[in-house]
């Protein structure tokens, strides 16, 4: 039986106050940075890249039909400011029209801020998530055994693995020790070994944006959000900006077998990105990403509340190292890529029953925030009940052609 009430219909949309407003979605410095998004524009019958500015949201499609094309420019931030076209409205109004139950079909609404880029994700890049993956593997997805195993493993290997540089002599020595102790795991291999885990999170164009439903399979009994920072990478491997992401994970599915990773990670509405891309400019760069603090909040329809904060400084592999493993002579991405950098969080607080930890309920509101990137907020629904994904690459090409943008 699912943790969801499968006899009911769609979970009611959360109150707009829980999803916040446009002002709450913005970074702490407001519109100071170069903020790029995508909207569904009813007048165009499809999506358009936009520049989000204090004076309004401006259509970029006449200059850059896709966000991917904008990110190929030698200076995307300057190009976006120079290419701003018609004003589509105020950001706060467009955000409000994105909230469930309030949408006016004749007005623009926000989408995920990427389009043709490949959706990729790095796993096991933080010590806490590495330990939790070892636990999932050893208990074979059994949530009741996880608490006991967590205590046992931490007693053996400690909690300071983030100080070990992957692939270093210290990492090799730790690997040899764990093998001798019978504690080696495939997750520790990618956590402290030379090769990162980088996988496909979802098909191109399948990501959902802020204020949308985020999907969890109805058959999953143990799952959680994975708040992450996501890099926007051009076809040449250049990092041009970042956004926030939720790499939703089914812990019971992946715990049964790592070969089930695609089923655990790639489902309808299981990848959320947004609310926009902050391009690198004189207000924001990769060093700022390395210093970021990311916050997670979960509010459930049962009154459950969780808050946590972590720092990008705890990542075991530098973002540039991960991009080097993503793209180069060994692999190319002609339309660029999104690379989610791995989660800093693994919620283990008991929600309903002692020693059963955390798992989602329908209607949970998940807010992922940072001062630099604003807030990405979504609410949980069964993947099978989320809005079907129907607008793919063929649809986008036909739409752009009909608008004489190809």
């Amino acid at each position: 039986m699912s943790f969801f009430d499968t006899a009911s219909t769609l979970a009611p949309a959360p109150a707009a106050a829980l999803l916040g407003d446009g002002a709450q979605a913005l970074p702490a410095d407001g519109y100071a940075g170069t903020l790029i998004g995508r909207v569904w524009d009813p007048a165009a019958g499809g999506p358009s890249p936009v520049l989000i500015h204090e004076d309004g949201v401006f259509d970029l499609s006449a200059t850059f039909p896709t966000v991917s094309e904008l990110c190929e420019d030698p200076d995307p931030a300057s190009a976006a400011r120079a290419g701003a076209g018609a004003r589509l409205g105020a950001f706060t109004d467009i955000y409000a029209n994105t909230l469930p139950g309030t949408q006016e079909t004749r007005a623009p609404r926000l989408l995920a801020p990427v389009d043709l880029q490949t959706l990729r994700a790095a796993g096991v890049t933080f010590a806490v998530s590495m330990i939790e993956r070892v636990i999932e593997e050893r208990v074979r997805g059994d949530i009741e055994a996880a608490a006991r195993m967590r205590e046992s493993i931490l007693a053996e290997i400690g909690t300071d693995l983030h100080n070990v540089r992957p692939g270093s002599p210290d990492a090799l020595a730790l690997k040899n020790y764990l093998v001798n102790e019978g504690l080696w795991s495939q997750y520790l291999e990618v956590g402290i070994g030379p090769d990162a885990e980088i996988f496909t999170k979802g098909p191109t164009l399948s990501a959902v944006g802020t204020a949308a439903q985020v999907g969890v399979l109805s058959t999953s009994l143990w799952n959680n959000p994975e708040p992450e920072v996501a890099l926007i990478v051009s076809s040449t491997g250049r990092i041009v900006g970042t956004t926030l992401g939720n790499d939703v994970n089914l812990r019971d599915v992946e715990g049964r077998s790592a070969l089930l990773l695609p089923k655990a990670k790639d489902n309808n509405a299981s990848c959320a990105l947004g609310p926009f891309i902050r391009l690198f400019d004189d207000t924001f760069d990769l060093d700022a990403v390395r210093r970021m603090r990311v916050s997670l909040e979960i509010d459930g329809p049962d009154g459950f509340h969780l808050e946590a904060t972590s720092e990008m400084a705890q990542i075991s592999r530098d973002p540039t190292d991960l991009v080097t493993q993503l793209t180069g002579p060994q692999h190319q991405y002609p339309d660029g890529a999104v690379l989610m950098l791995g989660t800093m969080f693994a919620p283990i607080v008991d929600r309903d029953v002692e020693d059963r930890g955390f798992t989602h309920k329908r209607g949970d509101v998940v807010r992922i925030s940072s001062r630099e990137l604003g807030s990405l907020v979504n609410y949980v629904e069964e993947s099978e009940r989320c809005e079907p994904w129907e607008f793919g690459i063929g649809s986008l090409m036909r739409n752009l052609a009909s608008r004489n943008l190809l």
Side-chain angles (χ1 to χ4, degrees):
M1 180 180 292
S2 166
F3 71 91
F4 290 136
D5 176 8
T6 55
S8 66
T9 57
L10 292 178
L18 282 176
L19 295 174
D21 56 29
Q24 293 171 311
L26 290 167
D29 58 358
Y31 300 98
T34 307
L35 307 179
I36 301 299
R38 284 172 68 240
V39 302
W40 183 269
D41 183 0
S48 292
V50 293
L51 173 70
I52 298 168
H53 189 270
E54 61 185 346
D55 294 330
V57 174
F58 296 90
D59 189 352
L60 294 173
S61 63
T63 307
F64 298 102
T66 65
V67 175
S68 169
E69 186 173 341
L70 169 64
C71 293
E72 293 299 305
D73 192 273
D75 185 356
S78 296
R81 290 191 291 269
R87 184 180 185 274
L88 300 179
F91 175 68
T92 52
D93 292 339
I94 292 176
Y95 185 92
N97 195 53
T98 307
L99 299 175
T102 67
Q103 294 177 4
E104 165 55 58
T105 58
R106 293 169 295 180
R109 57 181 173 85
L110 292 174
L111 302 171
V114 300
D115 40 46
L116 293 179
Q117 295 94 336
T118 299
L119 303 178
R120 300 280 272 167
V124 201
T125 54
F126 289 83
V128 63
S129 63
M130 178 166 57
I131 292 168
E132 288 303 311
R133 293 295 180 269
V134 174
I135 292 168
E136 288 171 11
E137 179 187 42
R138 288 183 173 270
V139 303
R140 296 292 188 266
D142 181 353
I143 190 171
E144 294 184 354
R148 298 188 300 273
M149 182 60 67
R150 184 176 298 110
E151 183 178 353
S152 173
I153 289 180
L154 292 182
E156 292 288 344
I157 66 177
T159 58
D160 61 350
L161 289 175
H162 64 276
N163 293 325
V164 179
R165 184 169 60 85
S168 67
D170 287 344
L172 179 60
L174 177 59
K175 174 180 178 178
N176 291 335
Y177 165 76
L178 292 169
V179 169
N180 292 334
E181 293 295 314
L183 288 172
W184 187 246
S185 162
Q186 59 195 337
Y187 292 106
L188 291 173
E189 174 65 44
V190 296
I192 62 177
D195 298 317
E197 178 193 21
I198 299 179
F199 57 92
T200 298
K201 174 58 183 175
T204 297
L205 283 173
S206 67
V208 298
T210 197
Q213 297 169 332
V214 67
V216 174
L217 281 185
S218 63
T219 52
S220 175
L221 298 173
W222 186 19
N223 47 73
N224 58 251
E226 291 196 356
E228 305 189 13
V229 174
L231 303 179
I232 310 301
V233 183
S234 76
S235 64
T236 62
R238 184 168 52 105
I239 306 169
V240 300
T242 60
T243 189
L244 294 170
N246 187 350
D247 176 17
V248 179
N249 185 45
L250 310 183
R251 299 191 65 181
D252 48 357
V253 174
E254 186 177 358
R256 282 160 48 204
S257 171
L259 297 181
L260 291 173
L261 181 67
K263 186 178 181 68
K265 291 290 190 178
D266 180 9
N267 298 290
N268 188 32
S270 65
C271 177
L273 295 169
F276 33 68
I277 296 167
R278 184 164 187 171
L279 294 173
F280 290 165
D281 58 15
D282 57 3
T283 72
F284 183 63
D285 58 15
L286 191 56
D287 284 335
V289 175
R290 295 184 176 106
R291 297 190 298 267
M292 281 175 53
R293 294 171 60 90
V294 176
S295 298
L296 167 68
E297 294 180 65
I298 302 173
D299 286 287
D302 55 351
F304 175 84
H305 180 74
L306 180 150
E307 291 186 35
T309 302
S310 192
E311 299 177 355
M312 276 292 296
Q314 296 177 6
I315 197 168
S316 59
R317 300 180 191 269
D318 188 76
T320 56
D321 294 337
L322 289 168
V323 171
T324 298
Q325 295 206 34
L326 169 77
T327 184
Q330 79 283 7
H331 204 309
Q332 295 80 44
Y333 299 88
D335 297 300
V338 178
L339 179 61
M340 302 172 80
L341 294 178
T343 189
M344 298 160 266
F345 301 92
I348 59 175
V349 62
D350 293 332
R351 182 166 192 173
D352 292 320
V353 181
E354 185 177 358
D355 289 338
R356 284 189 60 85
F358 172 85
T359 197
H360 271 308
K361 292 181 181 290
R362 293 176 68 200
D364 279 354
V365 175
V366 181
R367 180 180 299 276
I368 300 166
S369 306
S370 77
R371 290 181 57 82
E372 298 83 357
L373 299 178
S375 292
L376 168 67
V377 59
N378 301 97
Y379 63 104
V380 174
E381 178 55 279
E382 294 178 351
S383 289
E384 298 92 331
R385 300 172 186 240
C386 289
E387 182 179 354
W389 173 44
E390 297 176 336
F391 194 91
I393 297 173
S395 298
L396 176 61
M397 295 300 103
R398 287 189 292 272
N399 175 260
L400 295 179
S402 71
R403 296 157 63 182
N404 295 317
L405 295 177
L406 288 182

